[in-house]
Amino acid sequence: MLELLSPLSAGVNLALVLLSVVTSALSAAAGIGGGTLLIIAMAQVMPATALIPVHGMVQLGSNGGRAVMTWRHVRRDIVVAFLPGVIVGAVVAAWLLIRLPYGVLELCIAAFVLYSCWGPGLPQRAVGRTGTVIAGALTTLLSSFVGASGPMVASFIKLGMSERLPRVATFATCMSFQHATKAFIFGFAGFVFRDWLGLMLVMIAAGFIGTWLGLRLLHRVTDHRFDFLFKWVLTLLALRLIWLGVERLGAG
């Protein structure tokens, strides 16, 4: 049965489904990290042509479920300002569909994340309406080429609010819109989603379970511990991106 989910083997399909539970729980509890960990693991076993579109649809389901479960805490003003940039970024990505030199994007994202965690605060206008539109466009464009723009979006969301539940809810909503554009971008490019539909649906269902578990953990974590965990998860992911970027630059 599991071998029917995708062109991958039954064992690999099962591992990805279980990983979807774990990474969704991580994203719900820590606010970030699950999507990046998931795409790193998927990259080990999936063909490059399927990696980003399949990951995008799975993350759409995971983030969409989290957004629905936390909708009362969503900062709608940020989402409304973020959405126009998402549309612009998606249109540009569909037009370009090219890849920058391997390693460059990873290093840029890592630098931004580390700055947001440990550098001086950005000016207030960076989280204003114009800054939010720019962030939406830039991260959507990057997401179409590197798959997981979550650390960059989370870094931006972190600048605009301090309370954990609104941060998790707003991040999930923004990422849902961003991942939804990949159906358009990669459908336009000719990717056949049907071949991977079974795996995507089961991973999305598994993600709902992970999200439920992660949200239970979120309510047990104090604000201080959450902020500590959030910052260090971002930092570790950024260091991983630096390693990956340098490795790819060397290979190029």
Side-chain angles (χ1 to χ4, degrees), residues 73-173:
H73 302 278
V74 173
R75 281 280 303 275
R76 290 167 179 76
D77 57 323
I78 293 179
V79 174
V80 169
F82 191 81
L83 188 54
V86 169
I87 296 171
V88 171
V91 170
V92 174
W95 178 61
L96 290 176
L97 266 186
I98 59 173
R99 294 190 66 102
L100 295 178
Y102 282 111
V104 172
L105 287 177
E106 289 86 346
L107 293 175
C108 290
I109 295 172
F112 182 89
V113 171
L114 291 175
Y115 177 87
S116 72
C117 286
W118 306 105
L122 293 179
Q124 187 61 37
R125 61 177 178 274
V127 292
R129 192 170 190 85
T130 300
T132 304
V133 172
I134 293 173
L138 180 60
T139 56
T140 300
L141 180 61
L142 293 177
S143 181
S144 301
F145 300 132
V146 299
S149 63
M152 195 169 186
V153 176
S155 297
F156 175 80
I157 296 295
K158 174 177 173 287
L159 295 173
M161 64 186 74
S162 57
E163 296 180 2
R164 50 182 174 165
L165 273 174
R167 191 190 302 175
V168 169
T170 304
F171 171 76
T173 304

Side-chain angles (χ1 to χ4, degrees), residues 5-60:
L5 295 179
S6 79
L8 304 175
S9 68
V12 172
N13 286 334
L14 176 60
L16 291 177
V17 170
L18 294 177
L19 189 62
S20 183
V21 176
V22 174
T23 55
S24 292
L26 174 62
S27 287
I32 180 61
T36 302
L37 293 180
L38 183 61
I39 198 169
I40 289 172
M42 291 173 70
Q44 311 302 314
V45 296
M46 291 185 64
T49 53
L51 177 61
I52 295 178
V54 172
H55 174 267
M57 294 304 97
V58 172
Q59 287 302 105
L60 170 60

Side-chain angles (χ1 to χ4, degrees), residues 140-224:
T140 300
L141 180 61
L142 293 177
S143 181
S144 301
F145 300 132
V146 299
S149 63
M152 195 169 186
V153 176
S155 297
F156 175 80
I157 296 295
K158 174 177 173 287
L159 295 173
M161 64 186 74
S162 57
E163 296 180 2
R164 50 182 174 165
L165 273 174
R167 191 190 302 175
V168 169
T170 304
F171 171 76
T173 304
C174 289
M175 292 302 294
S176 296
F177 284 117
Q178 190 170 92
H179 286 302
T181 65
K182 293 178 183 177
F184 159 72
I185 295 169
F186 289 95
F188 179 79
F191 180 74
V192 182
F193 284 95
R194 182 178 62 253
D195 295 343
W196 299 86
L197 183 61
L199 179 62
M200 290 189 293
L201 290 177
V202 175
M203 287 183 71
I204 289 171
F208 273 98
I209 297 174
T211 294
W212 184 85
L213 293 173
L215 288 176
R216 302 286 79 74
L217 177 61
L218 174 64
H219 289 292
R220 296 174 181 267
V221 179
T222 65
D223 285 329
H224 175 72

